[in-house]
Amino acid sequence: MSESVLTHARYGKDFIRVFRVVRGSEFHHIVEYNVSVMLEGDIESSYTVADNSVVVATDSMKNITYYLAKTSPHILSPERFALHLGTYIVSKYAHIHRAIITIEKLRWSRIALGANDQPHPHSFIRDGDDKHTVEVEVDASAGKDNLSAKVTSGIADLLVLKTAGSAFYGYIRDEHTTLMEVDDRILSTSVDLAYTFAPLSLSPPSDAKKLDFTIPEGFAPGSVWDADNVVARARNATLDIFALDDSASVQATLFKMGQRVIAENAGVVSVTYKLPNKHYIPVNMNYIGIDNTTPANAEVFVPTSAPSGLISATISRK
Ligand SMILES: O=c1[nH]c(=O)c2[nH]c(=O)[nH]c2[nH]1
């Protein structure tokens, strides 16, 4: 026993499901989040000598999440809410030095009705399976008056497909090659992207309840405080490039996506894409004298879930 030592400890509550409505005079606004709260600090004794006096119960972390969902003016932005929640926790508990908050924001879009797409004040539709993802680390290890944060946001499970404008040829051909070179093919991927903002420092709460959380005035477009617009631009850029790029490969198209995200968002320092290549294989009908394999005549495909290619890269600001 004495030859072992605790080298890392982190605990918290995962899968905290929360829905919030903000009732404006004309329009209601809603968010649905899956939140995870993980804490680090002077908590070793809870592991090593069964000392629960240092434990903020994970049940309390769940309650704090709901309390802030009710009281925080930042609830509608997952980045700001995560920063507020992390700041609250590290400010309230002297021995907690780091809070790692992750949020998955599910899609709810306002229903538009009638010929002129009139936005409905309080009805919404789940118009996609993709999620806005956020990971915030609020760090108080340099002191409770010296808070800093790292924010990585992104999009997961954005499923797309195009039926033209994607070639793949010129790759290594040797005794292991069976793939046909094509000047056109089906291209489909489930986009996963995550971008990291420049590190930021945070003001500690000034009120006794530790609830006060301020964001700077006049923040720069593309900064972490502009995160709702950043994710909208990243989604648009991704869909734009996917549709419009005359793709030579997933690799080349991915790089263009990353370049756009960096160019359009001044506060983003790097972006990582993970693009599975979800292969659609043309059915060979040569046995019955029908051409379904040359790109121009390929119309019937087998969608395959496995194996898939997996193309990933990180594009960083110079
Ligand atoms: O865009 C692609 N990149 C690859 O690396 C690859 N490999 C493969 O078999 N098909 C594809 N497509």
Side-chain angles (χ1 to χ4, degrees), residues 197-283:
F197 291 98
L200 62 153
S201 53
L202 300 170
S203 314
S206 52
D207 63 327
K209 286 188 152 180
K210 311 284 188 203
L211 266 175
D212 166 40
F213 178 73
T214 47
I215 64 170
E217 306 243 340
F219 50 80
S223 77
V224 65
W225 305 114
D226 186 35
D228 281 349
N229 289 320
V230 175
V231 75
R233 277 194 294 270
R235 195 169 187 272
N236 280 341
T238 301
L239 295 180
D240 249 38
I241 300 281
F242 180 79
L244 299 177
D245 183 39
D246 218 349
S247 175
S249 65
V250 176
Q251 287 89 330
T253 301
L254 180 160
F255 184 60
K256 290 178 192 177
M257 291 173 175
Q259 286 185 300
R260 261 280 286 275
V261 171
I262 297 287
E264 291 180 352
N265 299 288
V268 168
V269 294
S270 68
V271 56
T272 297
Y273 275 84
K274 293 180 189 160
L275 300 181
N277 189 359
K278 296 177 158 292
H279 304 300
Y280 282 68
I281 316 284
V283 174

Coordinates of all heavy atoms in Angstrom, one line a residue, residues 197-283:
F197 N -10.8 29.6 -27.4 CA -10.6 31.1 -27.3 C -9.3 31.4 -26.6 O -8.8 30.6 -25.8 CB -11.8 31.7 -26.5 CG -13.1 31.6 -27.2 CD1 -14.0 30.6 -27.0 CD2 -13.5 32.5 -28.2 CE1 -15.3 30.6 -27.6 CE2 -14.7 32.5 -28.8 CZ -15.6 31.5 -28.5
A198 N -8.8 32.6 -26.8 CA -7.7 33.0 -26.0 C -8.0 33.0 -24.5 O -9.2 33.3 -24.2 CB -7.3 34.5 -26.4
P199 N -7.1 32.6 -23.7 CA -7.3 32.6 -22.2 C -7.8 33.9 -21.7 O -7.4 35.0 -22.3 CB -6.0 32.2 -21.6 CG -5.1 31.7 -22.7 CD -5.7 32.3 -24.0
L200 N -8.6 33.9 -20.7 CA -9.1 35.2 -20.2 C -9.0 35.2 -18.7 O -9.0 34.2 -18.0 CB -10.6 35.4 -20.7 CG -11.7 34.5 -20.2 CD1 -13.0 35.2 -20.2 CD2 -11.8 33.3 -21.2
S201 N -9.0 36.5 -18.2 CA -9.0 36.6 -16.7 C -10.4 37.1 -16.3 O -11.1 37.8 -17.1 CB -7.9 37.6 -16.2 OG -8.0 38.8 -16.9
L202 N -10.9 36.8 -15.2 CA -12.3 37.1 -14.7 C -12.2 37.9 -13.4 O -11.3 37.7 -12.6 CB -13.0 35.8 -14.4 CG -13.2 34.8 -15.6 CD1 -13.7 33.5 -15.1 CD2 -14.1 35.4 -16.6
S203 N -13.2 38.8 -13.3 CA -13.3 39.5 -12.0 C -14.0 38.6 -11.0 O -15.0 38.0 -11.3 CB -14.2 40.8 -12.2 OG -13.8 41.5 -13.4
P204 N -13.4 38.6 -9.8 CA -14.1 37.8 -8.7 C -15.4 38.5 -8.4 O -15.5 39.7 -8.5 CB -13.1 37.9 -7.6 CG -12.3 39.0 -7.8 CD -12.3 39.3 -9.3
P205 N -16.4 37.8 -7.9 CA -17.7 38.4 -7.5 C -17.4 39.3 -6.3 O -16.6 39.1 -5.4 CB -18.6 37.2 -7.0 CG -17.9 36.0 -7.5 CD -16.4 36.3 -7.7
S206 N -18.1 40.5 -6.3 CA -17.9 41.5 -5.3 C -19.0 41.4 -4.2 O -18.8 42.0 -3.1 CB -17.9 42.9 -5.9 OG -19.0 43.1 -6.6
D207 N -20.0 40.7 -4.4 CA -21.1 40.6 -3.4 C -21.0 39.5 -2.5 O -20.3 38.5 -2.8 CB -22.5 40.6 -4.1 CG -22.6 39.3 -5.0 OD1 -21.6 38.8 -5.5 OD2 -23.7 38.8 -5.1
A208 N -21.7 39.5 -1.4 CA -21.5 38.5 -0.3 C -22.1 37.2 -0.8 O -21.5 36.1 -0.4 CB -22.3 38.9 0.9
K209 N -23.1 37.2 -1.7 CA -23.6 35.9 -2.1 C -22.8 35.3 -3.2 O -23.2 34.2 -3.7 CB -25.1 36.1 -2.6 CG -26.1 36.4 -1.5 CD -27.5 36.4 -2.1 CE -28.5 35.9 -1.0 NZ -29.8 35.9 -1.5
K210 N -21.8 35.9 -3.7 CA -20.9 35.4 -4.7 C -21.6 35.3 -6.1 O -21.1 34.6 -7.0 CB -20.3 34.1 -4.4 CG -19.7 34.0 -3.0 CD -18.3 34.7 -2.9 CE -17.6 34.5 -1.6 NZ -16.7 35.5 -1.3
L211 N -22.7 36.0 -6.2 CA -23.5 35.8 -7.4 C -23.1 36.7 -8.6 O -23.4 36.5 -9.7 CB -25.0 35.9 -7.1 CG -25.7 34.6 -6.8 CD1 -27.1 34.8 -6.4 CD2 -25.6 33.6 -8.0
D212 N -22.5 37.8 -8.1 CA -22.2 38.9 -9.1 C -21.2 38.4 -10.1 O -20.1 37.9 -9.8 CB -21.7 40.1 -8.3 CG -21.1 41.1 -9.1 OD1 -21.6 41.4 -10.2 OD2 -20.0 41.7 -8.6
F213 N -21.5 38.5 -11.4 CA -20.6 38.1 -12.4 C -20.7 39.1 -13.6 O -21.7 39.3 -14.1 CB -21.0 36.7 -12.9 CG -20.1 36.2 -14.0 CD1 -18.8 35.8 -13.8 CD2 -20.6 36.1 -15.3 CE1 -18.0 35.3 -14.8 CE2 -19.8 35.7 -16.4 CZ -18.5 35.2 -16.1
T214 N -19.6 39.7 -13.8 CA -19.6 40.8 -14.8 C -18.9 40.4 -16.1 O -17.9 39.7 -16.1 CB -18.9 42.1 -14.3 OG1 -17.7 41.7 -13.7 CG2 -19.8 42.8 -13.3
I215 N -19.4 40.9 -17.2 CA -18.7 40.7 -18.5 C -18.3 42.1 -19.0 O -19.0 43.1 -18.7 CB -19.6 39.9 -19.5 CG1 -20.8 40.7 -19.9 CG2 -20.0 38.6 -19.0 CD1 -21.6 40.1 -21.1
P216 N -17.2 42.1 -19.7 CA -16.7 43.4 -20.1 C -17.7 44.1 -21.1 O -18.3 43.4 -21.9 CB -15.4 43.1 -20.8 CG -15.3 41.7 -21.0 CD -16.3 41.0 -20.1
E217 N -17.7 45.4 -21.0 CA -18.5 46.2 -22.0 C -17.8 46.3 -23.3 O -16.5 46.2 -23.3 CB -18.7 47.6 -21.5 CG -19.3 47.7 -20.1 CD -20.7 48.3 -20.1 OE1 -21.0 49.0 -21.0 OE2 -21.4 48.1 -19.1
G218 N -18.5 46.4 -24.4 CA -17.9 46.6 -25.7 C -16.9 45.6 -26.1 O -15.8 45.9 -26.7
F219 N -17.1 44.3 -25.8 CA -16.2 43.3 -26.1 C -16.1 43.1 -27.7 O -17.0 43.5 -28.4 CB -16.6 41.9 -25.5 CG -18.0 41.6 -25.7 CD1 -18.5 41.0 -26.9 CD2 -19.0 41.8 -24.7 CE1 -19.8 40.7 -27.1 CE2 -20.3 41.5 -24.9 CZ -20.7 40.9 -26.1
A220 N -15.0 42.6 -28.1 CA -14.7 42.5 -29.5 C -15.6 41.4 -30.2 O -15.7 40.3 -29.6 CB -13.2 42.1 -29.7
P221 N -16.1 41.6 -31.4 CA -16.7 40.5 -32.1 C -15.8 39.3 -32.3 O -14.6 39.5 -32.6 CB -17.1 41.2 -33.5 CG -16.9 42.6 -33.3 CD -16.0 42.8 -32.2
G222 N -16.3 38.1 -32.2 CA -15.4 37.0 -32.3 C -14.7 36.6 -31.0 O -14.0 35.6 -31.0
S223 N -15.0 37.3 -29.9 CA -14.3 37.0 -28.7 C -15.2 36.0 -27.9 O -16.4 35.7 -28.3 CB -14.1 38.3 -27.8 OG -15.4 38.7 -27.3
V224 N -14.8 35.5 -26.8 CA -15.5 34.6 -26.0 C -16.9 35.2 -25.5 O -17.9 34.5 -25.4 CB -14.7 34.1 -24.8 CG1 -14.4 35.2 -23.8 CG2 -15.4 32.9 -24.1
W225 N -16.9 36.5 -25.3 CA -18.1 37.1 -24.9 C -19.1 37.2 -26.0 O -20.3 37.6 -25.8 CB -17.8 38.5 -24.3 CG -16.8 38.4 -23.2 CD1 -15.6 38.9 -23.2 CD2 -17.0 37.7 -21.9 NE1 -14.9 38.6 -22.0 CE2 -15.8 37.8 -21.2 CE3 -18.0 37.0 -21.4 CZ2 -15.6 37.3 -20.0 CZ3 -17.8 36.4 -20.1 CH2 -16.6 36.6 -19.4
D226 N -18.7 37.0 -27.2 CA -19.5 37.0 -28.4 C -19.8 35.6 -28.9 O -20.1 35.4 -30.1 CB -18.8 37.8 -29.5 CG -19.6 38.1 -30.7 OD1 -20.8 38.3 -30.6 OD2 -19.0 38.1 -31.8
A227 N -19.8 34.7 -27.9 CA -19.8 33.3 -28.3 C -21.0 32.8 -29.1 O -20.9 31.9 -29.9 CB -19.6 32.4 -27.0
D228 N -22.1 33.4 -28.8 CA -23.3 32.9 -29.6 C -23.1 33.2 -31.1 O -23.5 32.4 -32.0 CB -24.6 33.7 -29.1 CG -25.1 33.0 -27.8 OD1 -24.6 31.9 -27.5 OD2 -26.0 33.7 -27.2
N229 N -22.5 34.4 -31.4 CA -22.3 34.7 -32.8 C -21.2 33.8 -33.4 O -21.2 33.5 -34.6 CB -21.9 36.2 -33.0 CG -23.2 37.1 -32.7 OD1 -24.3 36.7 -33.2 ND2 -23.0 38.2 -32.1
V230 N -20.2 33.5 -32.5 CA -19.1 32.7 -33.0 C -19.6 31.3 -33.4 O -19.2 30.8 -34.5 CB -18.0 32.5 -31.9 CG1 -16.9 31.6 -32.4 CG2 -17.4 33.9 -31.6
V231 N -20.4 30.7 -32.6 CA -20.9 29.4 -33.0 C -21.8 29.4 -34.2 O -21.8 28.5 -35.1 CB -21.6 28.7 -31.8 CG1 -23.0 29.2 -31.5 CG2 -21.7 27.2 -32.0
A232 N -22.6 30.5 -34.4 CA -23.4 30.7 -35.6 C -22.5 30.8 -36.8 O -22.8 30.2 -37.8 CB -24.3 31.9 -35.4
R233 N -21.4 31.6 -36.7 CA -20.5 31.8 -37.8 C -19.8 30.5 -38.1 O -19.6 30.1 -39.3 CB -19.5 32.9 -37.5 CG -20.1 34.3 -37.8 CD -18.9 35.3 -37.8 NE -18.3 35.5 -36.6 CZ -18.7 36.4 -35.6 NH1 -19.7 37.2 -35.9 NH2 -18.1 36.4 -34.5
A234 N -19.4 29.7 -37.1 CA -18.7 28.5 -37.3 C -19.6 27.5 -38.0 O -19.1 26.7 -38.9 CB -18.2 27.9 -36.0
R235 N -20.8 27.4 -37.6 CA -21.8 26.5 -38.3 C -22.0 26.9 -39.7 O -22.0 26.1 -40.6 CB -23.1 26.5 -37.5 CG -24.0 25.4 -37.8 CD -25.2 25.4 -36.8 NE -26.0 24.2 -36.9 CZ -27.1 24.1 -37.7 NH1 -27.4 25.1 -38.5 NH2 -27.8 23.0 -37.8
N236 N -22.2 28.2 -39.9 CA -22.4 28.7 -41.3 C -21.2 28.4 -42.2 O -21.3 28.0 -43.3 CB -22.7 30.2 -41.3 CG -24.2 30.5 -41.0 OD1 -25.0 29.6 -41.1 ND2 -24.4 31.7 -40.6
A237 N -20.0 28.7 -41.6 CA -18.8 28.5 -42.4 C -18.6 27.1 -42.8 O -18.3 26.7 -43.9 CB -17.6 29.0 -41.6
T238 N -18.9 26.2 -41.8 CA -18.8 24.8 -42.1 C -19.7 24.3 -43.2 O -19.3 23.6 -44.1 CB -19.0 24.0 -40.8 OG1 -18.1 24.4 -39.8 CG2 -18.9 22.5 -40.9
L239 N -21.0 24.7 -43.1 CA -22.0 24.3 -44.1 C -21.7 24.9 -45.5 O -21.8 24.3 -46.5 CB -23.4 24.7 -43.6 CG -23.9 24.0 -42.4 CD1 -25.3 24.5 -42.0 CD2 -23.8 22.5 -42.5
D240 N -21.3 26.2 -45.5 CA -20.9 26.9 -46.7 C -19.8 26.2 -47.4 O -19.9 25.9 -48.6 CB -20.3 28.3 -46.3 CG -21.2 29.4 -46.7 OD1 -22.4 29.2 -46.6 OD2 -20.6 30.4 -47.1
I241 N -18.7 25.9 -46.7 CA -17.5 25.3 -47.3 C -17.9 23.9 -47.8 O -17.5 23.4 -48.9 CB -16.3 25.2 -46.4 CG1 -15.9 26.6 -46.0 CG2 -15.1 24.4 -47.0 CD1 -15.1 27.4 -47.0
F242 N -18.6 23.2 -46.9 CA -19.0 21.8 -47.3 C -19.8 21.8 -48.6 O -19.5 21.0 -49.5 CB -19.9 21.1 -46.2 CG -20.3 19.7 -46.5 CD1 -19.4 18.7 -46.4 CD2 -21.5 19.5 -47.1 CE1 -19.7 17.4 -46.8 CE2 -21.9 18.2 -47.4 CZ -21.0 17.1 -47.3
A243 N -20.7 22.7 -48.7 CA -21.6 22.7 -49.9 C -20.8 23.3 -51.2 O -20.9 22.7 -52.3 CB -22.8 23.6 -49.7
L244 N -20.0 24.3 -51.0 CA -19.5 25.1 -52.1 C -18.1 24.6 -52.6 O -17.7 24.8 -53.7 CB -19.4 26.6 -51.8 CG -20.8 27.2 -51.5 CD1 -20.6 28.7 -51.1 CD2 -21.7 27.1 -52.7
D245 N -17.3 24.0 -51.6 CA -16.0 23.6 -52.0 C -16.0 22.4 -53.0 O -16.8 21.5 -52.9 CB -15.2 23.1 -50.8 CG -13.8 22.8 -51.1 OD1 -13.1 23.5 -51.9 OD2 -13.3 21.8 -50.5
D246 N -15.2 22.6 -54.1 CA -15.0 21.5 -55.0 C -14.0 20.6 -54.4 O -12.8 20.8 -54.6 CB -14.5 22.1 -56.3 CG -15.1 21.4 -57.5 OD1 -15.8 20.3 -57.3 OD2 -14.9 21.9 -58.6
S247 N -14.5 19.6 -53.6 CA -13.6 18.9 -52.7 C -12.6 17.9 -53.4 O -13.1 17.1 -54.2 CB -14.5 18.1 -51.7 OG -13.6 17.3 -50.9
A248 N -11.3 18.1 -53.1 CA -10.3 17.2 -53.6 C -10.2 16.0 -52.6 O -9.7 14.9 -53.0 CB -9.0 17.9 -53.8
S249 N -10.6 16.2 -51.4 CA -10.5 15.2 -50.3 C -11.1 15.8 -49.1 O -11.3 17.0 -49.0 CB -9.0 14.8 -50.0 OG -8.4 16.0 -49.5
V250 N -11.4 15.0 -48.1 CA -11.9 15.5 -46.8 C -10.9 16.3 -46.2 O -11.1 17.4 -45.6 CB -12.3 14.3 -45.9 CG1 -12.7 14.8 -44.5 CG2 -13.4 13.4 -46.5
Q251 N -9.6 15.9 -46.3 CA -8.5 16.7 -45.7 C -8.5 18.1 -46.2 O -8.4 19.1 -45.4 CB -7.1 16.0 -46.1 CG -6.8 14.7 -45.4 CD -7.3 13.5 -46.1 OE1 -8.3 13.5 -46.8 NE2 -6.6 12.3 -45.8
A252 N -8.6 18.3 -47.5 CA -8.4 19.6 -48.1 C -9.7 20.5 -47.8 O -9.5 21.7 -47.6 CB -8.3 19.5 -49.7
T253 N -10.8 19.9 -47.7 CA -12.1 20.6 -47.4 C -12.0 21.0 -45.9 O -12.4 22.1 -45.5 CB -13.3 19.8 -47.7 OG1 -13.3 19.4 -49.1 CG2 -14.6 20.5 -47.4
L254 N -11.6 20.1 -45.1 CA -11.4 20.4 -43.6 C -10.6 21.6 -43.4 O -10.9 22.5 -42.6 CB -10.9 19.2 -42.9 CG -10.6 19.2 -41.4 CD1 -10.5 17.8 -40.9 CD2 -9.4 20.0 -41.0
F255 N -9.4 21.7 -44.1 CA -8.5 22.8 -43.9 C -9.2 24.1 -44.2 O -9.0 25.1 -43.5 CB -7.2 22.6 -44.7 CG -6.2 23.6 -44.5 CD1 -5.6 23.8 -43.3 CD2 -5.8 24.4 -45.6 CE1 -4.6 24.8 -43.0 CE2 -4.8 25.4 -45.4 CZ -4.2 25.6 -44.1
K256 N -10.0 24.1 -45.3 CA -10.6 25.4 -45.7 C -11.7 25.8 -44.6 O -11.9 27.0 -44.3 CB -11.3 25.2 -47.0 CG -10.4 25.1 -48.2 CD -11.1 24.9 -49.5 CE -10.1 24.5 -50.6 NZ -10.7 24.2 -51.9
M257 N -12.3 24.8 -44.0 CA -13.3 25.1 -42.9 C -12.6 25.8 -41.8 O -13.0 26.8 -41.2 CB -14.0 23.8 -42.4 CG -14.9 23.2 -43.4 SD -15.5 21.5 -42.8 CE -16.7 21.1 -44.1
G258 N -11.5 25.2 -41.4 CA -10.7 25.7 -40.2 C -10.2 27.1 -40.5 O -10.3 28.0 -39.6
Q259 N -9.7 27.3 -41.7 CA -9.2 28.7 -42.1 C -10.3 29.7 -42.0 O -10.1 30.8 -41.5 CB -8.7 28.7 -43.5 CG -7.4 28.0 -43.7 CD -6.8 28.1 -45.1 OE1 -7.5 27.7 -46.0 NE2 -5.7 28.7 -45.3
R260 N -11.5 29.4 -42.4 CA -12.7 30.3 -42.3 C -13.0 30.6 -40.8 O -13.2 31.8 -40.5 CB -13.9 29.7 -42.9 CG -14.2 30.1 -44.4 CD -14.9 31.4 -44.5 NE -16.3 31.4 -44.1 CZ -17.4 31.1 -44.9 NH1 -17.2 30.7 -46.1 NH2 -18.6 31.2 -44.4
V261 N -13.0 29.6 -40.0 CA -13.4 29.8 -38.6 C -12.3 30.8 -37.9 O -12.7 31.7 -37.2 CB -13.5 28.5 -37.8 CG1 -13.6 28.8 -36.3 CG2 -14.6 27.7 -38.3
I262 N -11.0 30.6 -38.2 CA -10.0 31.4 -37.7 C -10.1 32.9 -38.2 O -10.1 33.9 -37.5 CB -8.6 30.9 -38.0 CG1 -8.4 29.5 -37.3 CG2 -7.5 31.9 -37.6 CD1 -8.2 29.5 -35.8
A263 N -10.4 33.0 -39.6 CA -10.4 34.3 -40.2 C -11.6 35.1 -39.7 O -11.5 36.3 -39.6 CB -10.5 34.1 -41.7
E264 N -12.7 34.4 -39.4 CA -14.0 35.2 -39.0 C -14.1 35.5 -37.5 O -15.1 36.1 -37.2 CB -15.2 34.4 -39.5 CG -15.3 34.3 -41.0 CD -16.5 33.5 -41.5 OE1 -17.2 32.9 -40.7 OE2 -16.8 33.5 -42.7
N265 N -13.2 34.9 -36.7 CA -13.4 35.1 -35.3 C -12.1 35.4 -34.6 O -11.3 34.6 -34.3 CB -14.0 33.8 -34.7 CG -15.3 33.4 -35.3 OD1 -16.3 34.1 -35.0 ND2 -15.3 32.4 -36.2
A266 N -12.0 36.7 -34.3 CA -10.7 37.3 -33.8 C -10.2 36.6 -32.5 O -9.0 36.5 -32.3 CB -10.8 38.8 -33.7
G267 N -11.2 36.2 -31.7 CA -10.8 35.7 -30.4 C -10.5 34.2 -30.4 O -10.1 33.6 -29.3
V268 N -10.6 33.5 -31.5 CA -10.3 32.1 -31.6 C -8.9 31.8 -32.0 O -8.4 32.4 -33.0 CB -11.3 31.4 -32.6 CG1 -10.9 30.0 -32.9 CG2 -12.7 31.4 -32.1
V269 N -8.2 31.0 -31.2 CA -6.8 30.8 -31.5 C -6.5 29.5 -32.2 O -5.5 29.4 -32.9 CB -5.9 30.8 -30.2 CG1 -5.9 32.1 -29.5 CG2 -6.4 29.7 -29.2
S270 N -7.4 28.5 -32.1 CA -7.3 27.3 -32.9 C -8.6 26.6 -33.0 O -9.5 26.8 -32.1 CB -6.2 26.4 -32.2 OG -6.7 25.9 -31.0
V271 N -8.7 25.8 -34.0 CA -9.9 25.0 -34.2 C -9.5 23.6 -34.6 O -8.7 23.4 -35.5 CB -10.9 25.6 -35.2 CG1 -10.3 25.9 -36.5 CG2 -12.2 24.8 -35.3
T272 N -10.2 22.6 -34.0 CA -10.0 21.2 -34.4 C -11.2 20.6 -35.0 O -12.3 20.7 -34.4 CB -9.6 20.4 -33.1 OG1 -8.4 20.9 -32.6 CG2 -9.4 18.9 -33.4
Y273 N -11.1 20.0 -36.2 CA -12.2 19.3 -36.8 C -11.9 17.8 -36.7 O -10.8 17.4 -36.9 CB -12.3 19.7 -38.3 CG -13.1 21.0 -38.5 CD1 -12.5 22.2 -38.4 CD2 -14.4 20.9 -38.9 CE1 -13.3 23.4 -38.7 CE2 -15.2 22.1 -39.1 CZ -14.6 23.3 -39.0 OH -15.3 24.4 -39.3
K274 N -13.0 17.1 -36.5 CA -12.9 15.6 -36.7 C -14.1 15.2 -37.7 O -15.2 15.5 -37.4 CB -13.2 14.9 -35.3 CG -12.0 15.1 -34.4 CD -12.3 14.5 -33.1 CE -11.2 14.9 -32.1 NZ -11.6 14.7 -30.7
L275 N -13.7 14.7 -38.8 CA -14.6 14.4 -39.9 C -14.6 12.9 -40.2 O -13.7 12.5 -41.0 CB -14.3 15.3 -41.1 CG -14.4 16.8 -40.9 CD1 -14.1 17.5 -42.2 CD2 -15.8 17.2 -40.4
P276 N -15.5 12.2 -39.8 CA -15.6 10.8 -40.3 C -16.1 10.8 -41.7 O -17.0 11.6 -42.1 CB -16.7 10.2 -39.4 CG -17.5 11.3 -38.8 CD -16.6 12.5 -38.8
N277 N -15.5 10.0 -42.5 CA -15.9 9.9 -44.0 C -16.9 8.8 -44.1 O -16.5 7.6 -44.0 CB -14.6 9.7 -44.8 CG -14.9 9.8 -46.3 OD1 -16.1 10.0 -46.7 ND2 -13.9 9.6 -47.1
K278 N -18.2 9.1 -44.1 CA -19.2 8.1 -44.1 C -19.5 7.6 -45.5 O -20.1 8.3 -46.3 CB -20.5 8.7 -43.5 CG -20.3 9.1 -42.0 CD -21.6 9.7 -41.5 CE -21.7 9.6 -40.0 NZ -21.8 8.2 -39.4
H279 N -18.9 6.5 -45.8 CA -18.8 6.0 -47.2 C -20.2 5.6 -47.7 O -20.9 4.9 -47.0 CB -17.8 4.9 -47.3 CG -16.4 5.2 -46.8 ND1 -15.7 6.2 -47.3 CD2 -15.7 4.7 -45.8 CE1 -14.5 6.3 -46.7 NE2 -14.5 5.4 -45.8
Y280 N -20.5 6.0 -48.9 CA -21.6 5.5 -49.7 C -21.1 4.8 -50.9 O -20.4 5.4 -51.7 CB -22.5 6.7 -50.1 CG -23.4 7.2 -49.0 CD1 -22.8 7.8 -47.9 CD2 -24.8 7.0 -49.0 CE1 -23.6 8.2 -46.8 CE2 -25.6 7.4 -47.9 CZ -25.0 8.0 -46.8 OH -25.8 8.4 -45.8
I281 N -21.2 3.4 -50.9 CA -20.6 2.6 -51.9 C -21.6 2.3 -53.0 O -22.7 1.7 -52.8 CB -20.2 1.2 -51.3 CG1 -19.5 1.4 -49.9 CG2 -19.3 0.4 -52.2 CD1 -18.1 2.0 -49.9
P282 N -21.2 2.7 -54.3 CA -22.1 2.3 -55.4 C -22.3 0.8 -55.5 O -21.3 0.1 -55.4 CB -21.4 2.9 -56.6 CG -20.3 3.8 -56.1 CD -20.0 3.3 -54.7
V283 N -23.5 0.4 -55.7 CA -23.7 -1.1 -55.9 C -23.2 -1.5 -57.3 O -23.6 -0.9 -58.3 CB -25.2 -1.4 -55.7 CG1 -25.5 -2.9 -56.1 CG2 -25.7 -1.0 -54.3

